[in-house]
Amino acid sequence: MPRVDYDRELRSLQDDLLMLGSMVEKAITKAVDALKRRDIETSKQVINEDDAIDDLRFKLEDKCVEIIATQQPIAKDLRVVFSILHMAVELERMGDYAEGIAKISIMIGQEPPLKPLIDIPIMADKAVALLRRSLNAFLNRDVEEAKRICKDDDDVDNIYDQVYRELLLFMIQDPKTIQRATYLLWVAHDLERTADRATNIAERVVYMVTGKMAETNSKYMA
Amino acid sequence: MATATQSKLHVTDLHFRRRKIADRLAFIALSACAGITVFMLLIILSYIFYKGATQIDWNFLTALPKPAGEPGGGIRNALIGSVIIVALASLMAMPIGIGTAIFLNEFPSFWVGRAIRFLADVLTAVPSIVVGLAVYTLVVRPMGSFSGFSGSVAYAFIMIPIIIITAQEALRLVPSNLREASLALGVPRWRTILMIVLPVSSRALLTGLILAVARALGETAPMLFTSFGNAFGNVNISKPTATVPVVIYRYATGPYDDWHSQAWAAAFILVGVILLASIITRFVIRSKFDE
Amino acid sequence: MNKRDDQVNNEGTATEERSLPHRRVHLHSEHQQQGEQKPADMPISISIQGLNAYYGKFRAVKNITLDIKAKQVTSVIGPSGCGKSTMLRCLNRMHEETQNGRTDGKVLLDDEDIYDKRVDPVAVRRKIGMVFQKPNPFPTMSVFDNVVAGFKLNRFWVNKSELADRVELALKQASLWDEVKDKLNQSGMALSGGQQQRLCIARTLAVEPEVVLMDEPCSALDPVATLKIEDLIRQLTSKYTIVIVTHNMQQAARVSDWTTFLLMGDDRAGELIEYGETKQLFTNPKDERTEAYITGRFG
């Protein structure tokens, strides 16, 4: 089997991406959990840990550049490298959303809750599930699953719409809630964006396997 | 201007026609030269065949000569003598010639090398009778008699430059990357020559040897001074020994018709052997390229 | 995914690069070295100090100073005629086999100058083997004899079973055993070009050198055979120090850990322009001339 080293490098690139994915997944879960439990310490931890995510992303980018410079990947290999490069950026942004949520929890501090957090943890679970599924689709080169992910993003969008309307209602009814409502709106928005980026990863999977840049029909595509 | 409608490539001017005619004439002239050469060669060969082949029988090859004037007899003594003398000459000439060629090839810039190569070139051009004379002075006189050995020395003198030149070419043709490959493996130079260079060039070296033998076999003049001739079946190299070319010379210039026809027969055998050697050489070279 | 999560959990707080979780959780643990910075103070195999090489009066290689790291692949690139092959041939004293070839300067193999008066070039070449541009198996020898040629020609007496073992080992090291084990007695010339070149590599390895020099070893081969040789080079690097001259920059990028860029100066003598880790040199060369060359903008 020729090009053993090259294949090894490609695999290590993929391993790193999956690792980055699980770090991001962990960060989001942890951030939302901390928000729910009003755990400032854990929130601070999430913010600190984002550095590791950023580092790994830069490292992945370096590796991609190196592999292009030294191994001259073409055809599917080239799509893999570029997809990984793209996914690394998506994941790193998701990490930033987790960091954002953690910062908001710190800002909310010990303020009285506006309402019990129900929809936001559900959104978080769904977004994280989408992320996990997109990474699995990447690992298994599963185009069909990737397409389903793009569709399932609508779920998250629908919850977001609901949360948005609900929070708007709070603000209209009592302007004193505006600040707290806006905080929660931001969290919901970050989670909605996280889910969107998970679908971006799924689109990359489609491109990586088929070579086609897929258009997906999600309501809130950026 | 009738050509106005023709293609631009149909040039019909005078120069073109002249060139065509000149081309045709040159072709005819050169073919004629080649034809004459081949024709002459064929005439000679077929005449020898016509005169000689008819005389050959088993007896001619295996019998000793009969005394002068008596019909019959053969040239066994001359055949054996020629084989012995040439074989001995080869034994002398081969190591010297190939050794010299190796020396020339391994030290190409050395002035001695150039001088030797020049001497070898000159030596090939020296008339064989001069070689005979030299050997007569250097070997026959001190030994006190004509001998097969002195004949071998004379033949060796003729063969050495041919072997040097062909062997040098053969060695030069050994790709230098093989030599380098061997040296790079940490093999000393002398072993490289012995184990790599010589085996690779063995076919070409053999070809050179066959050429040298073919050349020597036909030389008559030096034998007159050295091996002289012998009517009896002699295998002692310190005694005068019969050789085929000398027999041809004697019989052809002798007074008897029977001798004349025996000379033709011997000539036929000599030419046949040399022709065979040339063909083998060709074959050896050909099969080398086929590899 | 859960398992991986746990591991991130346990180690996610690590801040030091080396102990980042992703280092530990590779699916393929043997690749842990991947991406690590190569320390500049790795053990040195050959130290070239102020090397000049001449053809008669012409200086082909000028004042090269370079440390070649042990058990690494070092590639030498540069435009044609920049003296890269000449430099390579100076490393096992083959340059002096060329007519009018001579050198000055020092080449230290494990701290011993191979150009010392008391050093026998034959001994040097047993330690530093060489593979050439064109595959050059000995045409009069079988595959078997080719492999042991160097080994056998260095000795007067050899043990037969030892020979067979050596042949098998060398051919396996050269990834050729499976292809030729049934034709050991055939002529080496009967193999394909790529196989011939691997045979030549096996022949070199059978002498058990420390360093293997390769002078454009793939330039006469087709792309598939080339990739096979490249793979082989990567495998060999665990046991041998390899220096490879190549006119193919991509090849240098693919196979080497370290890259040397030579260029001829105004006096047409090859000079060392840049030397560095391959991935650094190919992604961010320090010298403008290196950049121009590797991006195909001159040379």
Side-chain angles (χ1 to χ4, degrees):
Chain A
M1 179 62 189
R3 307 207 68 178
V4 178
D5 262 39
Y6 171 44
D7 286 340
R8 187 178 293 164
E9 279 176 45
L10 283 176
R11 277 202 305 273
S12 124
L13 209 57
Q14 167 168 327
D15 293 349
D16 282 0
L17 187 83
L18 293 174
M19 183 50 51
L20 184 63
S22 57
M23 286 163 82
V24 168
E25 192 183 314
K26 184 90 315 187
I28 294 167
T29 312
K30 218 167 164 182
V32 173
D33 194 45
L35 176 71
K36 207 163 74 178
R37 292 190 288 108
R38 303 184 157 250
D39 180 349
I40 305 288
E41 276 316 302
T42 307
S43 295
K44 283 181 179 164
Q45 222 179 46
V46 170
I47 294 169
N48 283 333
E49 282 169 16
D50 189 54
D51 289 348
I53 292 177
D54 292 349
D55 284 351
L56 183 52
R57 173 248 167 134
F58 285 129
K59 183 162 210 150
L60 253 166
E61 261 186 78
D62 264 356
K63 269 192 175 180
C64 287
V65 167
E66 184 193 317
I67 217 171
I68 292 167
T70 60
Q71 299 291 352
Q72 306 102 33
I74 53 159
K76 192 164 185 178
D77 292 347
L78 184 60
R79 297 204 301 274
V80 168
V81 173
F82 270 102
S83 299
I84 287 177
L85 196 58
H86 201 108
M87 291 176 190
V89 177
E90 301 285 359
L91 289 172
E92 192 259 340
R93 292 296 299 159
M94 292 187 205
D96 288 348
Y97 295 144
E99 191 187 2
I101 293 170
K103 279 180 176 160
I104 288 169
S105 348
I106 293 171
M107 284 192 271
I108 292 175
Q110 296 305 328
E111 278 184 52
L114 190 61
K115 59 160 224 155
L117 280 181
I118 295 166
D119 287 336
I120 284 180
I122 292 175
M123 263 184 97
D125 284 349
K126 287 192 181 275
V128 164
L130 285 179
L131 168 59
R132 189 177 298 176
R133 281 169 64 198
S134 65
L135 290 173
N136 275 329
F138 163 72
L139 185 63
N140 302 322
R141 309 288 193 260
D142 188 342
V143 178
E144 292 313 310
E145 170 72 352
K147 286 178 179 166
R148 277 195 295 274
I149 292 165
C150 295
K151 226 174 260 156
D152 293 351
D153 175 49
D154 292 350
D155 264 8
V156 181
D157 292 343
N158 290 336
I159 305 177
Y160 175 67
D161 284 348
Q162 196 187 314
V163 169
Y164 177 75
R165 277 192 298 268
E166 197 184 348
L167 289 172
L168 212 58
L169 212 62
F170 270 108
M171 292 190 261
I172 292 166
Q173 284 172 349
D174 179 2
K176 269 183 275 178
T177 61
I178 287 181
Q179 193 178 21
R180 279 176 290 163
T182 314
Y183 284 152
L184 290 183
L185 197 55
W186 268 110
V187 173
H189 183 73
D190 280 345
L191 291 172
E192 190 269 332
R193 299 298 302 143
T194 302
D196 274 352
R197 290 188 183 272
T199 66
N200 286 356
I201 290 177
E203 278 170 27
R204 285 291 127 185
V205 173
V206 175
Y207 167 68
M208 187 174 90
V209 178
T210 64
K212 287 179 191 126
M213 295 282 186
E215 281 291 326
T216 57
N217 305 310
S218 183
K219 265 197 239 166
Y220 288 88
M221 287 296 296
Chain B
M1 291 300 123
T3 58
T5 56
Q6 280 182 358
S7 151
K8 283 180 190 168
L9 292 175
H10 290 185
V11 187
T12 49
D13 66 11
L14 205 58
H15 288 293
F16 181 62
R17 280 194 184 166
R18 199 183 286 166
R19 270 208 314 278
K20 260 189 139 174
I21 292 167
D23 183 59
R24 181 67 51 85
L25 283 178
F27 178 75
I28 291 168
L30 295 175
S31 316
C33 291
I36 289 168
T37 311
V38 172
F39 181 69
M40 302 263 282
L41 192 67
L42 279 179
I43 290 260
I44 294 171
L45 286 180
S46 52
Y47 197 65
I48 291 171
F49 184 80
Y50 162 72
K51 285 285 220 177
T54 49
Q55 305 295 322
I56 292 175
D57 52 25
W58 188 241
N59 188 48
F60 178 72
L61 296 175
T62 56
L64 289 173
K66 290 269 168 69
E70 237 178 273
I75 58 163
R76 187 178 91 187
N77 58 336
L79 287 176
I80 292 173
S82 269
V83 168
I84 289 174
I85 291 176
V86 166
L88 190 62
S90 300
L91 283 180
M92 287 189 260
M94 213 165 46
I96 295 175
I98 292 176
T100 309
I102 290 172
F103 175 78
L104 293 181
N105 215 43
E106 293 295 320
F107 307 97
S109 61
F110 203 29
W111 68 269
V112 173
R114 287 167 189 236
I116 291 173
R117 174 68 204 235
F118 176 73
L119 281 178
D121 284 340
V122 170
L123 214 53
T124 50
V126 169
S128 58
I129 194 157
V130 177
V131 172
L133 207 56
V135 173
Y136 176 78
T137 317
L138 293 174
V139 182
V140 178
R141 289 274 288 276
M143 281 177 66
S145 94
F146 294 119
S147 65
F149 173 75
S150 62
S152 294
V153 173
Y155 272 170
F157 261 106
I158 291 165
M159 289 168 75
I160 284 172
I162 298 173
I163 290 177
I164 290 177
I165 290 165
T166 54
Q168 201 195 353
E169 292 304 322
L171 295 177
R172 216 202 304 253
L173 284 179
V174 175
S176 64
N177 61 31
L178 290 181
R179 206 182 307 249
E180 286 191 332
S182 174
L183 290 174
L185 287 172
V187 179
R189 182 188 282 252
W190 66 271
R191 284 195 86 146
T192 297
I193 293 168
L194 220 59
M195 310 302 290
I196 306 293
V197 176
L198 288 184
V200 168
S201 56
S202 60
R203 281 165 177 277
L205 292 176
L206 187 67
T207 308
L209 180 69
I210 294 174
L211 278 179
V213 166
R215 165 83 199 277
L217 267 180
E219 289 297 344
T220 319
M223 294 303 108
L224 296 173
F225 294 93
T226 54
S227 73
F228 193 67
N230 195 325
F232 308 103
N234 172 44
V235 291
N236 184 344
I237 55 165
S238 64
K239 297 239 172 76
T241 309
T243 57
V244 179
V246 172
V247 164
I248 295 170
Y249 172 73
R250 287 268 154 74
Y251 282 12
T253 53
Y256 311 105
D257 281 346
D258 188 45
W259 276 16
H260 293 167
S261 56
Q262 287 202 6
W264 279 112
F268 174 75
I269 285 171
L270 193 60
V271 168
V273 168
I274 292 172
L275 210 60
L276 205 65
S278 303
I279 290 168
I280 289 171
T281 311
R282 272 290 157 83
F283 177 72
V284 166
I285 290 174
R286 174 92 33 92
S287 63
K288 185 173 173 63
F289 279 114
D290 286 346
E291 257 179 0
Chain C
M1 279 294 203
N2 279 331
K3 189 158 188 201
R4 196 170 289 146
D5 286 0
D6 293 340
Q7 277 158 319
V8 175
N9 238 347
N10 297 339
E11 304 183 32
T13 49
T15 47
E16 210 186 288
E17 166 112 346
R18 240 163 247 283
S19 55
L20 267 182
H22 67 274
R23 286 262 141 253
R24 305 258 177 97
V25 208
H26 268 322
L27 297 176
H28 312 277
S29 54
E30 77 268 28
H31 316 141
Q32 290 202 352
Q33 287 305 308
Q34 201 92 56
E36 290 284 337
Q37 281 295 311
K38 292 194 164 71
D41 57 351
M42 294 180 79
I44 291 162
S45 171
I46 295 183
S47 177
I48 306 169
Q49 299 175 357
L51 178 76
N52 290 290
Y54 304 82
Y55 292 96
K57 282 182 181 149
F58 171 66
R59 175 151 74 167
V61 168
K62 183 172 167 184
N63 198 21
I64 286 185
T65 297
L66 175 68
D67 284 341
I68 288 164
K69 312 278 192 273
K71 300 195 176 168
Q72 295 271 300
V73 180
T74 303
S75 61
V76 183
I77 58 169
S80 350
C82 70
K84 46 192 194 299
S85 287
T86 307
M87 185 198 101
L88 191 76
R89 293 166 64 89
C90 290
L91 303 187
N92 69 341
R93 298 194 60 171
M94 283 301 286
H95 179 58
E96 64 208 57
E97 297 295 335
T98 321
Q99 209 173 338
N100 297 323
R102 71 192 165 82
T103 55
D104 60 46
K106 279 183 178 175
V107 175
L108 308 185
L109 172 70
D110 301 333
D111 298 325
E112 201 185 347
D113 187 3
I114 64 168
Y115 281 101
D116 190 289
K117 287 270 184 295
R118 290 160 297 180
V119 168
D120 177 3
V122 167
V124 170
R125 292 173 198 148
R126 285 176 201 174
K127 286 274 175 211
I128 308 178
M130 189 165 201
V131 175
F132 296 83
Q133 192 164 350
K134 265 177 64 186
N136 51 3
F138 299 127
T140 52
M141 296 183 187
S142 66
V143 170
F144 186 99
D145 288 338
N146 257 287
V147 176
V148 282
F151 179 70
K152 229 159 118 181
L153 295 183
N154 284 333
R155 283 163 183 78
F156 287 92
W157 186 84
V158 278
N159 180 328
K160 274 212 173 133
S161 68
E162 192 200 339
L163 270 191
D165 290 348
R166 214 167 249 271
V167 166
E168 183 170 343
L169 180 71
L171 285 173
K172 278 182 174 162
Q173 281 187 333
S175 315
L176 190 60
W177 175 251
D178 291 333
E179 290 162 63
V180 301
K181 64 181 175 219
D182 299 324
K183 27 186 169 177
L184 293 177
N185 293 319
Q186 289 180 20
S187 162
M189 304 302 280
L191 303 179
S192 74
Q195 289 174 331
Q196 285 188 18
Q197 192 62 300
R198 275 178 284 150
L199 178 61
C200 293
I201 292 173
R203 179 175 71 186
T204 305
L205 299 182
V207 186
E208 298 183 325
E210 283 176 31
V211 181
V212 179
L213 308 177
M214 299 189 172
D215 189 358
E216 303 195 5
C218 302
S219 62
L221 305 182
D222 63 77
V224 173
T226 298
L227 288 176
K228 277 192 186 165
I229 303 262
E230 289 179 5
D231 265 6
L232 171 59
I233 292 172
R234 291 308 313 170
Q235 284 167 33
L236 292 177
T237 181
S238 61
K239 276 191 77 179
Y240 303 92
T241 302
I242 294 171
V243 186
I244 174 172
V245 162
T246 171
H247 58 220
N248 178 341
M249 288 174 269
Q250 286 76 30
Q251 180 168 70
R254 285 191 296 262
V255 301
S256 67
D257 303 296
W258 302 82
T259 299
T260 309
F261 175 55
L262 299 190
L263 193 60
M264 50 198 156
D266 295 332
D267 53 357
R268 304 195 61 73
E271 293 172 56
L272 179 79
I273 301 297
E274 186 165 350
Y275 168 63
E277 219 186 319
T278 298
K279 58 184 171 200
Q280 173 261 313
L281 195 131
F282 277 91
T283 53
N284 189 15
K286 293 199 176 71
D287 194 289
E288 280 175 11
R289 290 166 291 181
T290 314
E291 174 126 23
Y293 179 70
I294 63 176
T295 54
R297 292 196 163 79
F298 90 78

